[in-house]
Amino acid sequence: MTDIPAYEPPKVWTWNKESGGRFASINRPIAGPTHDKELPVGRHPLQLYSLATPNGVKVTVMLEELLAAGHKGAEYDAWLIKIDGNQFGSGFVAVNPNSKIPALMDRSGKEPIRVFESGSILVYLAEKFGAFLPTDVKTRAETFSWLFWQMGSAPYLGGGFGHFYAYAPTKIEYAIDRFAMEVKRQLDVLDRRLADNEYLAGDVYTIADMAVWPWYGGLAKGLLYGGGEFLSVQDYKNVQRWTDAIAARPAVKRGRMVNRTWGEPSSQLHERHDASDFESRTQDKVAEQTAS
């Protein structure tokens, strides 16, 4: 730490250089579109614009779970929005003024309804279809508590630990230690809850599990930021049990594939417009079709 030069903040901060790190080229201190670009619209009532980051996976898992439960109205088109500047196109900004994935347009009614922020989308879909959100007051309250716990906690994992451990141009011991401590505390919070409960809200699978699993389940399996060994994720036995149980659900397996652009080609379904796409339009199949 003594090798890091002291920084004296100016009285007024100004944006005069890129912030550094993996996403420096797209970070900026202003909102709004940078270019005109309309969004595509498919044939289904629900139009999802996303990428298979943890926040994006929440929604595709929810949609696949709804379809698996027999809610035919949950059919959807999933369009790929890479976070390389596409999120600043005018069409996307019109759906989500915060320029973050995922974003949803519901075109099932007389007027389209936009929904943004992943937690909001989960609640919207749960209420629309009457699924994965308990109706009894106690369990419903528990579901919302864990859902909002995730929304408030994940920035410490992603923007905090993930940024300084994996993406920042300089490794800063203080920052990594500070956020590693907080993430391990959060894993302990989850582990204690899951010691006596099958799922976060109790004995029922809810949108709380769908929200938390892509972040903390991914972390528990060492899939986020290459930080599994560093954080000793194997020590959280109850989180591991819960993670494995959710990962085994067929709808979760499908949801993870949608809008995915990394990993094995067979695990990548860049766009999803029909259930048959999981068999015919994954990247390994696309490569085969292109070669022939």
Side-chain angles (χ1 to χ4, degrees):
M1 297 205 30
T2 56
D3 294 334
I4 301 174
Y7 171 63
E8 182 68 29
K11 290 184 178 180
V12 178
W13 183 84
T14 57
W15 183 37
N16 54 22
K17 62 180 181 299
E18 289 187 349
S19 59
R22 179 174 172 181
F23 300 103
S25 63
I26 61 171
N27 290 333
R28 59 196 184 115
I30 54 176
T34 59
H35 59 282
D36 290 329
K37 185 176 182 180
E38 293 302 313
L39 290 175
V41 178
R43 62 187 177 90
H44 297 301
L46 299 175
Q47 299 292 303
L48 179 67
Y49 305 95
S50 192
L51 179 69
T53 65
N55 284 335
V57 168
K58 295 177 193 177
V59 178
T60 49
V61 164
M62 175 61 164
L63 288 165
E64 292 297 328
E65 291 281 14
L66 287 169
L67 290 169
H71 297 280
K72 295 182 179 179
E75 271 293 352
Y76 68 104
D77 292 282
W79 304 94
L80 178 63
I81 301 292
K82 295 182 179 179
I83 50 175
D84 56 3
N86 280 287
Q87 72 272 37
F88 300 121
S90 58
F92 189 81
V93 174
V95 180
N96 185 352
N98 196 37
S99 294
K100 304 288 185 181
I101 62 93
L104 179 75
M105 286 294 291
D106 183 354
R107 297 178 174 273
S108 62
K110 292 182 178 179
E111 295 185 7
I113 297 174
R114 75 176 187 184
V115 193
F116 59 92
E117 292 297 321
S118 57
S120 176
I121 296 173
L122 291 178
V123 173
Y124 179 83
L125 292 172
E127 292 183 336
K128 179 180 177 71
F129 294 101
F132 303 110
L133 180 58
T135 55
D136 68 282
V137 174
K138 181 178 180 180
T139 314
R140 186 181 180 89
E142 196 73 24
T143 301
F144 278 127
S145 291
W146 285 107
L147 172 63
F148 284 96
W149 176 87
Q150 185 278 316
M151 300 299 289
S153 296
Y156 290 97
L157 171 52
F161 174 76
H163 176 77
F164 286 105
Y165 183 79
Y167 300 143
T170 303
K171 302 298 183 187
I172 303 173
E173 182 181 2
Y174 170 79
I176 293 173
D177 284 351
R178 172 65 182 87
F179 287 110
M181 181 186 300
E182 173 60 15
V183 170
K184 287 183 69 68
R185 187 193 70 81
Q186 292 174 5
L187 285 168
D188 194 42
V189 169
L190 285 177
D191 206 60
R192 291 168 184 266
R193 172 62 181 171
L194 292 167
D196 301 313
N197 295 277
E198 184 176 3
Y199 298 108
L200 289 172
D203 60 358
V204 292
Y205 174 63
T206 70
I207 56 174
D209 300 288
M210 297 179 203
V212 175
W213 180 81
W215 282 102
Y216 294 89
L219 184 68
K221 293 303 175 183
L223 302 177
L224 294 186
Y225 314 119
E229 181 179 5
F230 182 75
L231 295 171
S232 301
V233 293
Q234 72 279 353
D235 294 345
Y236 303 95
K237 303 299 184 183
N238 301 310
V239 175
Q240 292 288 340
R241 184 270 308 163
W242 167 83
T243 294
D244 290 340
I246 293 177
R249 296 177 68 91
V252 173
K253 293 179 181 179
R254 292 192 297 273
R256 288 188 65 202
M257 296 170 64
V258 180
N259 298 142
R260 185 179 177 88
T261 60
W262 56 88
E264 291 295 322
S266 60
S267 73
Q268 300 180 37
L269 182 62
H270 289 189
E271 293 184 2
R272 188 266 191 214
H273 303 289
D274 187 84
S276 64
D277 291 344
F278 291 102
E279 302 298 328
S280 62
R281 296 189 61 186
T282 53
Q283 284 304 106
D284 58 326
K285 300 292 182 13
V286 171
E288 291 174 2
Q289 293 164 9
T290 301
S292 62

